[in-house]
Structures are given as C-alpha cells and as structure tokens.
Amino acid sequence: MAGHISPIRTYIAIFGALMVATIITVAVAFINLGTLNFPVALGIAIVKATLVILFFMHVKYSSRLTKLICGGAFFFLVILFTLTMTDYLSRGWFTSPRGTAAAGTQVTIEEPRPAAEGEPDTRAEP
Amino acid sequence: LPNGIAAHADSHGHHLHHPALQHHFETLDQQHEAATLGMWVFLVTEVMFFGGLLMAYLLYRVWYPLAWSEGSLDLDIVLGGTNTVVLIASSLTMALAVRSAQTGAPSGTVRWLLLTMALGLTFLVIKFFEYEHKYELGHIPGIRFTETGPEAPHLAIFFSLYFSLTGLHALHMVIGVSLLSVITFMAWRRRFTPEWYTPVEMSGLYWHFVDIVWIFLFPLLYLVDRAGHFA
C-alpha cells in the first residue's frame, strides 16, 4: 500500500516541538500579559494541534479530499464560535436598560420589581 | 503470490486479490482512502461535539472572568501538566506503532501499542486522583460543592464545565484504550502487513484526536486565567 512512511526522526522532532510548546505555554501562564494571555495560549494550542494533525495524523501526506474534510471541521467550529459570540457580545449594545453597555456585558434578566402600593402591576405575564 | 492470497482466491473461485480487500473496492489503496475519509468525517462530528461545550466555556468565561480566574487557580497545574506530557508521549508511541505496522514489524507494533495503552492508563489514573482531590475540596457541583461567597454560583458553572469537558475527554480515553486493546490483539495475531494495516492507522487517528482535545483543554482550563493573579 502506498501510505507515506515518515522517518522516525520526524516523529521525534515533532514530539520535541510539542514538548517545547507545552513548556512555553505553562511559562507564559505565569506572566501577566493582560488580555493577551488568552490569545497567546490559544495560539500555542493551535500550533500544537496543527503539528499533530499534519505529522502524527499524516494529513500532510493525505489526499486533498481528506485535507478538505479536516479543514471543514475547523471551518465550522469557527462559524459556531464567531456567530454565537457576535450575537452575545453585541446584545448589550442595544438592550441595556439604561443606555449603552460595553461589549461583553452580560444582559441580566432581573426579577421584575413587585408593584408598590396603589401602583398598577405592570409585570408581563410569564 | 503469497499463499494466503492464492488460497483466498480458490475459495472464491474468481480473480486473485488480497484477503483484506473487500469486494466493493477496486484496490487496497482505494479501500484505505475510503476508510481514512470515513474516519475523518467521524472526527469532524467529534470536533463539533466538543465544540458545543467549548462554546459554552467561551461565553461563560466572557461573562464571569472572576470565577474563571479563581477556578483555574484551583486546578492542579502539576498534575495537569504531567498529563499533557503523558498524552503527547502516547501520541508519539501511537505514531511509532503505526510506523511499525507500515514497515512490517509486528512485534514493534505490539510493543508500541502496549506502551501507548500504558500511557493512556497513566493519564486516567492521574485524572482519577485529580477528581478525588476536587471532591475533598468540595468543588464538584451537584455532589459536593462547599464554595460560598458572591462568585460561588459562577464558580459552580466553571467546575460544571471542567467536569463535562474533562469527563467526556476521559470517556474518550477509556474508549481509546479499549479500541487499542483489540488492535494490539490483532497485531499480536500477526493480522497486519505493510499491504494492510488500516485498523492500526484509524485507531491512531482517534487517539491523536483525543490528544488534540487535551492540548486545548489544558491551557483553557488550567492556565489562561491564572496570570491575573500575578499582576
């Protein structure tokens, strides 16, 4: 069968790269980069995953159709994250009760205030 | 031609072919390509399966950054880090098991597969002790949750997602080890040849996928929100 056989040193090199990346990601976790910590950690994880997919899972040597299916998985994952987050992150822009709210603000749904004495009960039916 | 192929052809009374070649495929290469493609389609569904939980993780992280910071600091970075190394090492041994099968070294395949399973079980044992520690700390929502204070309800969400994500991952590890035990048995019976080793490679794809899930879970759960404490 015409499966690609990688030399052992390729596998060792990839393993070494994954170990180095693991050490870097742990080290970076102890340095405060503010908002950059999350993208850096995620970036390193994406690089590690790519190495595993390309070399350990042989996608580098697979057919174009296999590459397409593999890429499709992450394409749809990105759609899942982006469309959901654009919805949630933008909700505060328009629906915040007292004007605008910063992106990412959670819109809390509070229990309606009970009507005071003599005030008509305006609570919506559930 | 090897005897196996001739004997198989006799029993069918038609053209000669490799015993592992199923009749609806033209060649072993075509059969291997179909298996690879099918496995990847399955892995796409697995990506989306974990993706749903990761989506929940992402959203709640944006909503409750304080709870995420507190929660990730409560996780044991040494145990989590050790498990990362163990799992990446198991991916290496799995890749070498596939390579042994490709190059026609069945005893090497058995050895590498046994080592892969041993590393997989090591991961699960470490995970068990982590869970046990979580129980002692009272960090298991719904079973034993002793956190109090304003962030406690949000911390419960963090730990719920922690147990969902790592629990599903651990379940995949259990399935992976079971799968590999069957493959090891087949390799021990000398079922694989350089012409046909598809089951080894397919279970390898599954194993590497489970490794990739952990590559994301480790920084997302144990690491990212730690740095806020070192401001």
Side-chain angles (χ1 to χ4, degrees):
Chain A
M1 201 160 59
H4 178 87
I5 302 172
S6 308
I8 289 177
R9 64 170 188 281
T10 304
Y11 290 128
I12 305 284
I14 296 301
F15 174 73
L18 291 170
M19 283 295 113
V20 170
T22 305
I23 293 166
I24 294 174
T25 197
V26 171
V28 166
F30 290 94
I31 304 165
N32 191 5
L33 302 172
T35 50
L36 277 179
N37 273 100
F38 187 70
V40 166
L42 205 59
I44 294 172
I46 289 170
V47 169
K48 286 166 76 180
T50 310
L51 287 177
V52 173
I53 289 170
L54 287 181
F55 294 96
F56 283 175
M57 298 173 94
H58 298 158
V59 167
K60 187 171 190 277
Y61 316 103
S62 295
S63 66
R64 283 186 179 183
L65 191 54
T66 306
K67 288 188 173 95
L68 183 73
I69 301 267
C70 171
F74 298 97
F75 177 70
F76 283 106
L77 198 62
V78 169
I79 288 185
L80 169 72
F81 292 155
T82 357
L83 289 191
T84 313
M85 287 319 275
T86 47
D87 175 5
Y88 277 105
L89 293 183
S90 62
R91 281 184 189 193
W93 296 353
F94 301 109
T95 58
S96 175
R98 280 168 295 278
T100 56
T105 304
Q106 184 201 3
V107 180
T108 50
I109 300 162
E110 282 169 32
E111 191 68 25
R113 178 177 57 86
E117 203 69 42
E119 193 186 343
D121 193 338
T122 54
R123 276 181 291 179
E125 290 296 319
Chain B
L1 275 169
N3 283 338
I5 296 181
H8 184 73
D10 280 349
S11 70
H12 280 311
H14 64 185
H15 60 281
L16 301 180
H17 68 82
H18 192 279
L21 177 65
Q22 291 170 6
H23 292 158
H24 45 284
F25 290 112
E26 291 285 331
T27 61
L28 277 174
D29 276 344
Q30 189 196 39
Q31 179 175 298
H32 185 78
E33 173 65 17
T36 308
L37 209 56
M39 192 64 200
W40 269 105
V41 170
F42 168 67
L43 292 183
V44 172
T45 70
E46 288 274 81
V47 168
M48 298 312 285
F49 175 63
F50 278 98
L53 271 172
L54 288 172
M55 182 64 244
Y57 165 93
L58 188 62
L59 185 60
Y60 281 116
R61 183 178 178 274
V62 171
W63 279 355
Y64 309 126
L66 285 177
W68 251 238
S69 176
E70 216 176 305
S72 74
L73 206 66
D74 282 335
L75 297 179
D76 194 322
I77 198 166
V78 175
L79 292 181
T82 310
N83 259 350
T84 308
V85 174
V86 166
L87 216 50
I88 291 176
S90 82
S91 253
L92 173 69
T93 57
M94 186 69 232
L96 292 172
V98 173
R99 194 183 182 280
S100 299
Q102 285 177 318
T103 53
S107 52
T109 309
V110 172
R111 266 202 307 277
W112 288 122
L113 283 172
L114 286 175
L115 195 54
T116 308
M117 284 160 66
L119 288 166
L121 290 173
T122 309
F123 177 95
L124 286 170
V125 168
I126 293 177
K127 201 79 229 159
F128 171 79
F129 285 116
E130 264 191 282
Y131 280 1
E132 197 188 33
H133 188 53
K134 287 265 146 297
Y135 182 82
E136 282 163 13
L137 290 174
H139 281 165
I140 307 183
I143 295 173
R144 190 158 181 272
F145 194 73
T146 54
E147 286 289 328
T148 50
E151 283 300 319
H154 305 156
L155 213 50
I157 297 177
F158 174 84
F159 283 116
S160 299
L161 282 167
Y162 165 81
F163 281 108
S164 311
L165 283 163
T166 59
L168 274 175
H169 178 264
L171 178 67
H172 276 76
M173 293 289 297
V174 172
I175 294 170
V177 171
S178 319
L179 197 65
L180 288 191
S181 63
V182 177
I183 301 296
T184 310
F185 181 71
M186 287 171 79
W188 176 66
R189 295 287 303 271
R190 302 292 185 263
R191 290 280 303 279
F192 305 119
T193 59
E195 290 78 41
W196 186 74
Y197 55 87
T198 309
V200 189
E201 175 133 29
M202 294 310 115
S203 41
L205 288 181
Y206 183 82
W207 192 265
H208 295 310
F209 167 78
V210 177
D211 180 28
I212 289 172
V213 172
W214 185 257
I215 284 176
F216 282 97
L217 291 190
F218 175 57
L220 288 181
L221 293 169
Y222 291 74
L223 299 179
V224 279
D225 296 300
R226 211 162 257 274
H229 292 267
F230 306 101

